[in-house]
Amino acid sequence: MTESTGKVNLLGLTQPQLESFFESIGEKRFRAGQVMKWIHHFGVDDFDAMSNIGKALRDKLKASAEIRGPEVVSQDISSDGTRKWVVRVASGSCVETVYIPQGGRGTLCVSSQAGCALDCSFCSTGKQGFNSDLTAAEVIGQVWIANKSFGTIPAKIDRAITNVVMMGMGEPLLNFDNVVAAMNIMMDDLGYGISKRKVTLSTSGVAPMIDKLGEVIDVSLALSLHAPNDPLRNQLVPINKKYPLAVVLDSCRRYISRLGEKRVLTIEYTLLKDVNDQPEHAQQMIALLKDFPCKINLIPFNPFPHSGYERPSNNSIRRFQDLLHKAGHNVTVRTTRGEDIDAACGQLVGQVMDRTRRSERYIAVRQLNAEAEASQNATNRN
Ligand code: SAH
Ligand code: SF4
Protein backbone atom coordinates (compact mmCIF):
# COMPACT_ATOMS: atom_id res chain seq x y z
CA MET A 1 0.00 0.00 0.00
CA THR A 2 1.39 3.42 -0.95
CA GLU A 3 1.27 5.70 2.03
CA SER A 4 -0.90 8.82 1.81
CA THR A 5 0.87 12.03 2.79
CA GLY A 6 -2.21 14.26 2.95
CA LYS A 7 -0.57 16.62 0.42
CA VAL A 8 -2.15 17.62 -2.89
CA ASN A 9 -0.57 15.64 -5.72
CA LEU A 10 -0.01 18.16 -8.52
CA LEU A 11 0.82 15.47 -11.08
CA GLY A 12 -2.83 14.68 -11.84
CA LEU A 13 -4.15 18.25 -11.99
CA THR A 14 -5.26 19.78 -15.29
CA GLN A 15 -4.29 23.37 -16.02
CA PRO A 16 -7.59 24.86 -14.70
CA GLN A 17 -7.37 22.67 -11.58
CA LEU A 18 -3.79 23.72 -10.97
CA GLU A 19 -4.77 27.39 -11.42
CA SER A 20 -7.49 26.94 -8.79
CA PHE A 21 -4.97 25.27 -6.50
CA PHE A 22 -2.61 28.27 -6.74
CA GLU A 23 -5.50 30.63 -6.10
CA SER A 24 -6.50 28.59 -3.07
CA ILE A 25 -3.05 29.11 -1.54
CA GLY A 26 -3.14 32.85 -2.31
CA GLU A 27 -0.84 32.76 -5.36
CA LYS A 28 -1.18 33.94 -8.96
CA ARG A 29 -2.82 31.63 -11.50
CA PHE A 30 0.08 31.88 -14.01
CA ARG A 31 2.17 29.75 -11.66
CA ALA A 32 0.15 26.77 -12.93
CA GLY A 33 1.76 27.00 -16.38
CA GLN A 34 5.25 27.21 -14.93
CA VAL A 35 4.75 24.23 -12.67
CA MET A 36 3.05 22.10 -15.36
CA LYS A 37 6.02 22.58 -17.66
CA TRP A 38 8.42 21.49 -14.94
CA ILE A 39 6.36 18.42 -14.19
CA HIS A 40 5.44 17.21 -17.66
CA HIS A 41 8.04 18.70 -20.02
CA PHE A 42 11.01 18.18 -17.74
CA GLY A 43 9.83 15.25 -15.61
CA VAL A 44 10.66 17.08 -12.38
CA ASP A 45 9.27 15.89 -9.03
CA ASP A 46 11.31 18.17 -6.78
CA PHE A 47 10.10 21.74 -6.18
CA ASP A 48 13.68 22.86 -5.53
CA ALA A 49 14.55 22.11 -9.17
CA MET A 50 12.01 24.71 -10.37
CA SER A 51 14.46 27.53 -10.97
CA ASN A 52 11.93 30.18 -12.05
CA ILE A 53 10.04 29.88 -8.76
CA GLY A 54 11.32 31.78 -5.74
CA LYS A 55 12.38 30.03 -2.55
CA ALA A 56 9.45 31.27 -0.48
CA LEU A 57 6.91 29.80 -2.88
CA ARG A 58 8.91 26.59 -3.25
CA ASP A 59 8.84 26.17 0.53
CA LYS A 60 5.13 26.87 0.60
CA LEU A 61 4.57 24.24 -2.11
CA LYS A 62 6.69 21.69 -0.28
CA ALA A 63 4.50 22.11 2.77
CA SER A 64 1.19 21.52 1.04
CA ALA A 65 1.84 19.70 -2.23
CA GLU A 66 3.80 16.91 -3.88
CA ILE A 67 4.50 15.50 -7.32
CA ARG A 68 4.15 11.78 -7.00
CA GLY A 69 3.87 9.17 -9.75
CA PRO A 70 3.04 5.51 -9.16
CA GLU A 71 5.96 3.41 -7.94
CA VAL A 72 7.80 1.57 -10.73
CA VAL A 73 8.08 -2.08 -9.76
CA SER A 74 9.80 -3.24 -12.96
CA GLN A 75 10.68 -2.23 -16.48
CA ASP A 76 11.27 -4.79 -19.26
CA ILE A 77 12.46 -4.22 -22.80
CA SER A 78 11.47 -6.73 -25.48
CA SER A 79 13.73 -7.84 -28.31
CA ASP A 80 11.45 -5.89 -30.68
CA GLY A 81 11.84 -2.62 -28.76
CA THR A 82 8.52 -2.86 -26.91
CA ARG A 83 8.80 -1.76 -23.29
CA LYS A 84 6.62 -2.74 -20.36
CA TRP A 85 6.40 -1.15 -16.93
CA VAL A 86 4.69 -2.64 -13.95
CA VAL A 87 3.66 0.14 -11.54
CA ARG A 88 2.13 -0.06 -8.09
CA VAL A 89 -0.86 2.17 -7.41
CA ALA A 90 -2.19 3.48 -4.10
CA SER A 91 -4.61 0.58 -3.60
CA GLY A 92 -1.59 -1.78 -3.50
CA SER A 93 -2.39 -3.46 -6.82
CA CYS A 94 -0.04 -3.32 -9.80
CA VAL A 95 -0.96 -2.29 -13.33
CA GLU A 96 0.93 -2.38 -16.59
CA THR A 97 1.91 0.19 -19.20
CA VAL A 98 3.32 -0.75 -22.60
CA TYR A 99 5.31 1.28 -25.16
CA ILE A 100 5.26 0.10 -28.76
CA PRO A 101 7.64 1.74 -31.27
CA GLN A 102 6.63 1.32 -34.91
CA GLY A 103 8.09 3.26 -37.81
CA GLY A 104 8.16 6.89 -36.81
CA ARG A 105 5.50 6.37 -34.15
CA GLY A 106 5.70 5.50 -30.49
CA THR A 107 2.42 4.37 -28.94
CA LEU A 108 1.94 4.18 -25.21
CA CYS A 109 -0.79 1.83 -23.99
CA VAL A 110 -2.06 3.13 -20.65
CA SER A 111 -4.12 1.40 -17.91
CA SER A 112 -7.14 3.02 -16.29
CA GLN A 113 -8.11 0.55 -13.56
CA ALA A 114 -6.48 -2.18 -11.47
CA GLY A 115 -8.34 -5.15 -12.91
CA CYS A 116 -11.70 -4.81 -14.60
CA ALA A 117 -15.23 -5.57 -13.48
CA LEU A 118 -16.58 -6.31 -16.95
CA ASP A 119 -15.35 -9.88 -17.32
CA CYS A 120 -15.00 -10.26 -21.09
CA SER A 121 -14.54 -13.98 -21.59
CA PHE A 122 -11.20 -13.82 -23.51
CA CYS A 123 -9.43 -11.10 -21.49
CA SER A 124 -6.88 -11.90 -18.81
CA THR A 125 -7.41 -8.53 -17.09
CA GLY A 126 -11.12 -9.32 -16.81
CA LYS A 127 -10.35 -12.74 -15.36
CA GLN A 128 -8.56 -11.12 -12.45
CA GLY A 129 -11.60 -9.25 -11.23
CA PHE A 130 -11.58 -5.64 -10.11
CA ASN A 131 -9.64 -3.84 -7.44
CA SER A 132 -9.67 -0.09 -7.92
CA ASP A 133 -9.93 2.94 -10.16
CA LEU A 134 -6.64 4.67 -10.84
CA THR A 135 -6.41 8.31 -9.78
CA ALA A 136 -5.76 10.96 -12.46
CA ALA A 137 -2.16 11.15 -11.18
CA GLU A 138 -1.80 7.38 -11.61
CA VAL A 139 -3.14 7.50 -15.17
CA ILE A 140 -1.03 10.47 -16.35
CA GLY A 141 1.79 9.17 -14.15
CA GLN A 142 2.24 6.28 -16.59
CA VAL A 143 2.94 8.77 -19.40
CA TRP A 144 5.22 10.75 -17.08
CA ILE A 145 7.25 7.66 -16.16
CA ALA A 146 7.52 6.38 -19.73
CA ASN A 147 8.52 9.80 -21.03
CA LYS A 148 11.22 10.20 -18.39
CA SER A 149 12.62 6.76 -19.19
CA PHE A 150 13.48 7.88 -22.71
CA GLY A 151 15.42 10.84 -21.41
CA THR A 152 13.63 12.83 -24.12
CA ILE A 153 13.29 15.90 -22.00
CA PRO A 154 11.67 18.29 -22.73
CA ALA A 155 8.91 15.97 -23.84
CA LYS A 156 7.54 18.24 -26.52
CA ILE A 157 10.70 18.70 -28.51
CA ASP A 158 11.99 15.20 -29.08
CA ARG A 159 9.00 12.98 -28.76
CA ALA A 160 9.31 9.29 -28.08
CA ILE A 161 5.60 9.06 -27.30
CA THR A 162 3.55 10.25 -30.30
CA ASN A 163 0.31 8.39 -29.55
CA VAL A 164 -1.53 7.26 -26.43
CA VAL A 165 -4.16 4.53 -26.37
CA MET A 166 -6.31 3.88 -23.31
CA MET A 167 -6.11 0.14 -24.03
CA GLY A 168 -4.24 -1.16 -21.02
CA MET A 169 -5.95 -2.71 -18.02
CA GLY A 170 -9.47 -1.63 -17.15
CA GLU A 171 -12.51 -0.03 -18.75
CA PRO A 172 -11.64 3.68 -19.07
CA LEU A 173 -15.26 4.87 -19.24
CA LEU A 174 -15.91 3.37 -15.79
CA ASN A 175 -13.23 5.67 -14.36
CA PHE A 176 -14.53 8.65 -16.25
CA ASP A 177 -13.37 11.79 -14.41
CA ASN A 178 -9.83 10.61 -13.79
CA VAL A 179 -9.37 9.35 -17.34
CA VAL A 180 -10.77 12.56 -18.85
CA ALA A 181 -8.47 14.71 -16.65
CA ALA A 182 -5.44 12.62 -17.65
CA MET A 183 -6.33 12.79 -21.35
CA ASN A 184 -6.67 16.57 -21.08
CA ILE A 185 -3.12 16.74 -19.68
CA MET A 186 -1.89 14.48 -22.52
CA MET A 187 -3.31 16.94 -25.08
CA ASP A 188 -2.41 20.19 -23.30
CA ASP A 189 0.64 22.00 -24.69
CA LEU A 190 1.72 22.49 -21.09
CA GLY A 191 1.46 18.72 -20.70
CA TYR A 192 2.46 16.38 -23.53
CA GLY A 193 1.00 18.29 -26.51
CA ILE A 194 -0.33 15.15 -28.21
CA SER A 195 -3.01 15.87 -30.82
CA LYS A 196 -6.61 14.84 -30.14
CA ARG A 197 -6.48 12.40 -33.06
CA LYS A 198 -3.56 10.61 -31.47
CA VAL A 199 -5.16 10.03 -28.09
CA THR A 200 -7.56 7.09 -28.33
CA LEU A 201 -9.99 5.79 -25.75
CA SER A 202 -11.03 2.16 -26.19
CA THR A 203 -14.28 0.97 -24.66
CA SER A 204 -16.13 -2.30 -24.48
CA GLY A 205 -19.31 -0.30 -25.03
CA VAL A 206 -20.60 1.57 -21.97
CA ALA A 207 -23.10 3.42 -24.16
CA PRO A 208 -24.28 6.28 -21.87
CA MET A 209 -20.69 7.11 -20.99
CA ILE A 210 -19.77 7.35 -24.68
CA ASP A 211 -22.40 10.10 -24.98
CA LYS A 212 -21.11 11.76 -21.83
CA LEU A 213 -17.57 11.62 -23.21
CA GLY A 214 -18.69 13.43 -26.36
CA GLU A 215 -19.87 16.33 -24.21
CA VAL A 216 -16.46 16.96 -22.67
CA ILE A 217 -13.67 15.87 -25.03
CA ASP A 218 -12.86 15.07 -28.67
CA VAL A 219 -10.28 12.28 -28.53
CA SER A 220 -10.41 9.36 -30.98
CA LEU A 221 -12.71 6.50 -30.05
CA ALA A 222 -12.32 2.73 -30.42
CA LEU A 223 -15.08 0.21 -29.80
CA SER A 224 -14.23 -3.36 -28.79
CA LEU A 225 -16.81 -5.12 -30.94
CA HIS A 226 -15.61 -8.75 -31.03
CA ALA A 227 -18.95 -10.12 -32.28
CA PRO A 228 -21.34 -9.07 -35.04
CA ASN A 229 -24.57 -10.23 -33.35
CA ASP A 230 -26.08 -9.84 -29.88
CA PRO A 231 -26.24 -13.50 -28.78
CA LEU A 232 -22.52 -14.03 -29.45
CA ARG A 233 -21.54 -10.62 -28.08
CA ASN A 234 -23.52 -11.34 -24.90
CA GLN A 235 -21.22 -14.30 -24.33
CA LEU A 236 -17.94 -12.59 -25.15
CA VAL A 237 -18.56 -9.07 -23.83
CA PRO A 238 -21.16 -9.37 -21.05
CA ILE A 239 -21.82 -5.60 -20.87
CA ASN A 240 -23.60 -6.16 -24.19
CA LYS A 241 -26.57 -7.56 -22.23
CA LYS A 242 -27.02 -4.09 -20.76
CA TYR A 243 -26.13 -2.06 -23.86
CA PRO A 244 -26.77 -4.17 -26.96
CA LEU A 245 -25.15 -3.57 -30.33
CA ALA A 246 -27.78 -1.21 -31.74
CA VAL A 247 -27.61 1.01 -28.64
CA VAL A 248 -23.84 1.14 -28.44
CA LEU A 249 -23.37 1.73 -32.16
CA ASP A 250 -25.86 4.61 -31.97
CA SER A 251 -23.80 6.22 -29.20
CA CYS A 252 -20.62 5.72 -31.23
CA ARG A 253 -22.22 7.25 -34.31
CA ARG A 254 -23.27 10.31 -32.30
CA TYR A 255 -19.79 10.63 -30.84
CA ILE A 256 -18.06 10.40 -34.23
CA SER A 257 -20.45 12.75 -36.00
CA ARG A 258 -19.81 15.40 -33.32
CA LEU A 259 -16.11 15.25 -34.15
CA GLY A 260 -16.69 15.94 -37.84
CA GLU A 261 -13.57 16.44 -39.95
CA LYS A 262 -13.54 12.96 -41.45
CA ARG A 263 -12.91 11.25 -38.12
CA VAL A 264 -13.87 7.59 -37.90
CA LEU A 265 -14.55 5.00 -35.22
CA THR A 266 -11.94 2.28 -34.78
CA ILE A 267 -13.55 -1.14 -34.47
CA GLU A 268 -11.45 -3.65 -32.54
CA TYR A 269 -12.23 -7.28 -33.17
CA THR A 270 -10.30 -10.01 -31.38
CA LEU A 271 -10.32 -13.11 -33.57
CA LEU A 272 -11.04 -16.30 -31.63
CA LYS A 273 -10.66 -19.61 -33.42
CA ASP A 274 -14.03 -21.18 -34.40
CA VAL A 275 -15.88 -18.67 -32.21
CA ASN A 276 -16.10 -15.40 -34.19
CA ASP A 277 -13.70 -15.94 -37.11
CA GLN A 278 -15.96 -17.63 -39.66
CA PRO A 279 -17.04 -16.15 -43.03
CA GLU A 280 -20.60 -15.82 -41.71
CA HIS A 281 -19.29 -13.52 -38.96
CA ALA A 282 -17.50 -11.38 -41.51
CA GLN A 283 -20.73 -11.15 -43.55
CA GLN A 284 -22.75 -10.14 -40.49
CA MET A 285 -20.13 -7.55 -39.64
CA ILE A 286 -20.33 -6.09 -43.15
CA ALA A 287 -24.11 -5.75 -42.80
CA LEU A 288 -23.83 -4.29 -39.28
CA LEU A 289 -21.24 -1.69 -40.25
CA LYS A 290 -22.75 -0.71 -43.58
CA ASP A 291 -22.28 3.06 -44.03
CA PHE A 292 -20.66 3.38 -40.61
CA PRO A 293 -17.62 5.69 -40.70
CA CYS A 294 -15.05 3.25 -39.33
CA LYS A 295 -11.80 1.41 -39.77
CA ILE A 296 -11.39 -2.13 -38.52
CA ASN A 297 -8.50 -3.48 -36.50
CA LEU A 298 -8.40 -7.27 -36.21
CA ILE A 299 -6.52 -8.55 -33.15
CA PRO A 300 -5.53 -12.22 -33.33
CA PHE A 301 -6.25 -13.64 -29.87
CA ASN A 302 -3.28 -13.56 -27.51
CA PRO A 303 -3.36 -16.68 -25.40
CA PHE A 304 -3.01 -16.81 -21.63
CA PRO A 305 -3.21 -19.81 -19.27
CA HIS A 306 -6.62 -21.50 -18.92
CA SER A 307 -8.30 -19.09 -21.34
CA GLY A 308 -10.12 -21.83 -23.21
CA TYR A 309 -9.64 -19.95 -26.51
CA GLU A 310 -7.21 -20.30 -29.39
CA ARG A 311 -5.78 -17.99 -31.99
CA PRO A 312 -7.05 -18.71 -35.53
CA SER A 313 -4.62 -19.85 -38.23
CA ASN A 314 -3.01 -17.19 -40.41
CA ASN A 315 -5.16 -18.43 -43.29
CA SER A 316 -8.41 -17.84 -41.40
CA ILE A 317 -7.22 -14.41 -40.31
CA ARG A 318 -6.35 -13.53 -43.92
CA ARG A 319 -9.71 -14.90 -45.15
CA PHE A 320 -11.61 -12.80 -42.61
CA GLN A 321 -9.64 -9.70 -43.50
CA ASP A 322 -10.17 -10.23 -47.25
CA LEU A 323 -13.93 -10.51 -46.89
CA LEU A 324 -14.13 -7.20 -45.04
CA HIS A 325 -11.68 -5.60 -47.40
CA LYS A 326 -13.67 -6.65 -50.47
CA ALA A 327 -16.74 -5.00 -48.92
CA GLY A 328 -14.81 -1.72 -48.95
CA HIS A 329 -13.55 -1.61 -45.36
CA ASN A 330 -10.18 -0.33 -44.26
CA VAL A 331 -8.93 -3.36 -42.28
CA THR A 332 -5.63 -3.88 -40.51
CA VAL A 333 -4.42 -6.87 -38.53
CA ARG A 334 -2.65 -5.91 -35.34
CA THR A 335 0.76 -7.52 -35.21
CA THR A 336 1.59 -8.95 -31.85
CA ARG A 337 4.37 -7.05 -30.15
CA GLY A 338 6.31 -7.65 -27.00
CA GLU A 339 5.19 -11.25 -26.60
CA ASP A 340 8.46 -12.24 -24.94
CA ILE A 341 7.65 -9.84 -22.08
CA ASP A 342 3.90 -10.65 -21.95
CA ALA A 343 3.04 -7.18 -23.18
CA ALA A 344 0.54 -8.07 -25.90
CA CYS A 345 -3.13 -7.02 -25.82
CA GLY A 346 -5.09 -8.97 -23.29
CA GLN A 347 -1.99 -10.36 -21.62
CA LEU A 348 -1.70 -7.54 -19.14
CA VAL A 349 -2.22 -8.91 -15.70
CA GLY A 350 -0.30 -6.70 -13.29
CA GLN A 351 -0.99 -7.99 -9.85
CA VAL A 352 -4.53 -7.22 -8.91
CA MET A 353 -5.75 -7.69 -5.39
CA ASP A 354 -9.11 -8.92 -6.56
CA ARG A 355 -12.02 -7.60 -4.55
CA THR A 356 -14.59 -9.54 -6.49
CA ARG A 357 -12.86 -12.90 -5.88
CA ARG A 358 -13.50 -13.58 -9.53
CA SER A 359 -10.05 -15.00 -10.17
CA GLU A 360 -10.63 -17.67 -7.52
CA ARG A 361 -14.03 -18.50 -8.93
CA TYR A 362 -12.62 -18.56 -12.44
CA ILE A 363 -9.92 -21.06 -11.54
CA ALA A 364 -12.42 -23.16 -9.59
CA VAL A 365 -14.88 -23.24 -12.51
CA ARG A 366 -12.09 -24.14 -14.96
CA GLN A 367 -11.04 -26.99 -12.68
CA LEU A 368 -14.61 -28.30 -12.44
CA ASN A 369 -14.97 -28.11 -16.22
CA ALA A 370 -11.69 -29.94 -16.75
CA GLU A 371 -12.74 -32.65 -14.28
CA ALA A 372 -16.15 -32.98 -15.95
CA GLU A 373 -14.48 -33.24 -19.35
CA ALA A 374 -12.02 -35.85 -18.10
CA SER A 375 -14.79 -37.99 -16.59
CA GLN A 376 -16.87 -37.61 -19.81
CA ASN A 377 -13.88 -38.78 -21.86
CA ALA A 378 -13.40 -41.72 -19.52
CA THR A 379 -17.10 -42.67 -19.88
CA ASN A 380 -16.86 -42.39 -23.67
CA ARG A 381 -13.82 -44.66 -23.71
CA ASN A 382 -15.56 -47.35 -21.64
N1 SAH B 1 -11.44 -2.15 -21.56
C1 SAH B 1 -11.22 -1.55 -22.80
C2 SAH B 1 -9.75 -1.28 -23.09
C3 SAH B 1 -8.73 -2.33 -22.73
S1 SAH B 1 -8.57 -3.80 -23.63
C4 SAH B 1 -11.83 -2.35 -23.91
O1 SAH B 1 -12.26 -3.47 -23.68
O2 SAH B 1 -11.93 -1.82 -25.02
C5 SAH B 1 -7.79 -3.41 -25.18
C6 SAH B 1 -8.23 -4.37 -26.32
O3 SAH B 1 -7.63 -5.68 -26.20
C7 SAH B 1 -9.72 -4.60 -26.31
O4 SAH B 1 -10.25 -4.54 -27.62
C8 SAH B 1 -9.81 -6.00 -25.76
O5 SAH B 1 -11.02 -6.59 -26.05
C9 SAH B 1 -8.62 -6.66 -26.39
N2 SAH B 1 -8.25 -7.92 -25.75
C10 SAH B 1 -8.51 -8.32 -24.49
N3 SAH B 1 -8.01 -9.55 -24.28
C11 SAH B 1 -7.42 -9.94 -25.42
C12 SAH B 1 -6.68 -11.11 -25.79
N4 SAH B 1 -6.47 -12.10 -24.95
N5 SAH B 1 -6.20 -11.17 -27.05
C13 SAH B 1 -6.38 -10.14 -27.91
N6 SAH B 1 -7.05 -9.01 -27.59
C14 SAH B 1 -7.56 -8.91 -26.36
FE1 SF4 C 1 -12.34 -5.12 -19.15
FE2 SF4 C 1 -11.68 -4.43 -21.67
FE3 SF4 C 1 -10.82 -6.76 -20.58
FE4 SF4 C 1 -13.39 -6.44 -21.20
S1 SF4 C 1 -11.64 -6.45 -22.64
S2 SF4 C 1 -12.61 -7.34 -19.30
S3 SF4 C 1 -13.72 -4.28 -20.70
S4 SF4 C 1 -10.29 -4.70 -19.90
Side-chain angles (χ1 to χ4, degrees):
M1 203 78 163
T2 317
E3 210 181 297
S4 166
T5 56
K7 294 181 178 178
V8 181
N9 189 355
L10 305 188
L11 180 62
L13 300 190
T14 60
Q15 189 186 352
Q17 288 170 335
L18 200 51
E19 284 172 350
S20 305
F21 165 77
F22 275 104
E23 243 175 15
S24 76
I25 59 167
E27 298 289 336
K28 294 273 188 318
R29 292 169 76 87
F30 78 89
R31 294 291 185 190
Q34 292 179 319
V35 168
M36 274 189 87
K37 283 189 190 168
W38 282 114
I39 298 175
H40 301 292
H41 294 189
F42 295 96
V44 160
D45 60 2
D46 174 5
F47 292 112
D48 281 333
M50 301 183 178
S51 52
N52 55 356
I53 292 178
K55 181 155 188 328
L57 177 52
R58 293 202 312 262
D59 287 344
K60 194 167 171 185
L61 286 172
K62 277 191 262 178
S64 61
E66 63 180 352
I67 300 156
R68 181 144 63 125
E71 175 200 345
V72 180
V73 175
S74 66
Q75 178 185 343
D76 289 310
I77 304 187
S78 157
S79 51
D80 67 12
T82 302
R83 296 181 183 209
K84 182 175 90 171
W85 294 264
V86 175
V87 300
R88 181 168 293 120
V89 296
S91 64
S93 287
C94 291
V95 301
E96 301 186 350
T97 313
V98 178
Y99 174 77
I100 308 146
Q102 199 161 33
R105 274 194 314 191
T107 302
L108 193 71
C109 179
V110 169
S111 293
S112 56
Q113 296 182 311
C116 183
L118 296 186
D119 200 16
C120 300
S121 63
F122 53 88
C123 173
S124 58
T125 303
K127 291 300 150 219
Q128 295 184 85
F130 174 74
N131 179 264
S132 60
D133 282 338
L134 268 53
T135 62
E138 289 165 345
V139 178
I140 199 66
Q142 296 168 66
V143 185
W144 186 70
I145 286 166
N147 194 57
K148 286 204 294 183
S149 84
F150 291 107
T152 48
I153 304 284
K156 284 190 64 210
I157 293 172
D158 183 10
R159 283 196 187 137
I161 302 168
T162 58
N163 297 58
V164 177
V165 291
M166 297 302 307
M167 292 184 189
M169 299 169 68
E171 168 50 56
L173 289 184
L174 293 183
N175 183 13
F176 192 88
D177 292 343
N178 292 329
V179 166
V180 166
M183 292 193 303
N184 275 320
I185 301 173
M186 290 170 204
M187 295 190 291
D188 191 334
D189 274 341
L190 294 168
Y192 298 85
I194 301 173
S195 97
K196 59 190 181 184
R197 290 165 184 273
K198 295 184 175 176
V199 173
T200 303
L201 181 142
S202 172
T203 177
S204 55
V206 193
M209 303 310 276
I210 295 174
D211 286 306
K212 195 170 160 201
L213 188 72
E215 287 162 18
V216 296
I217 212 163
D218 53 3
V219 296
S220 295
L221 183 67
L223 173 69
S224 292
L225 187 73
H226 310 312
N229 61 63
D230 281 318
L232 181 57
R233 196 163 192 269
N234 287 346
Q235 284 172 36
L236 302 179
V237 185
I239 187 118
N240 193 70
K241 293 179 200 149
K242 202 161 174 192
Y243 308 114
L245 279 169
V247 172
V248 81
L249 283 172
D250 266 358
S251 293
C252 290
R253 196 186 282 276
R254 277 193 292 277
Y255 185 91
I256 292 299
S257 60
R258 265 206 204 105
L259 300 179
E261 328 156 50
K262 296 199 191 136
R263 307 259 306 265
V264 298
L265 176 70
T266 299
I267 297 279
E268 295 167 278
Y269 194 98
T270 297
L271 284 166
L272 307 162
K273 185 178 173 196
D274 298 335
V275 175
N276 65 357
D277 66 340
Q278 298 300 302
E280 79 212 48
H281 298 119
Q283 300 301 356
Q284 289 172 18
M285 205 161 151
I286 292 164
L288 184 72
L289 298 175
K290 193 169 178 315
D291 300 328
F292 203 106
C294 65
K295 60 180 181 195
I296 299 171
N297 193 213
L298 301 175
I299 317 172
F301 173 65
N302 291 311
F304 58 91
H306 314 296
S307 75
Y309 291 107
E310 287 175 62
R311 180 186 296 194
S313 67
N314 286 344
N315 275 346
S316 326
I317 296 172
R318 184 75 46 215
R319 180 183 61 184
F320 200 89
Q321 182 183 22
D322 282 351
L323 285 168
L324 296 171
H325 191 75
K326 284 199 185 102
H329 282 291
N330 173 354
V331 196
T332 47
V333 178
R334 192 175 296 173
T335 45
T336 300
R337 303 289 304 273
E339 245 176 333
D340 53 338
I341 55 170
D342 284 344
C345 279
Q347 288 184 325
L348 304 186
V349 290
Q351 199 183 55
V352 175
M353 290 151 61
D354 183 11
R355 281 202 204 160
T356 59
R357 305 189 58 154
R358 181 184 303 137
S359 46
E360 285 166 39
R361 276 178 290 156
Y362 174 67
I363 289 163
V365 168
R366 285 254 163 250
Q367 262 163 2
L368 284 177
N369 286 346
E371 280 163 24
E373 206 175 308
S375 87
Q376 185 68 42
N377 288 344
T379 318
N380 291 348
R381 272 198 301 275
N382 292 336

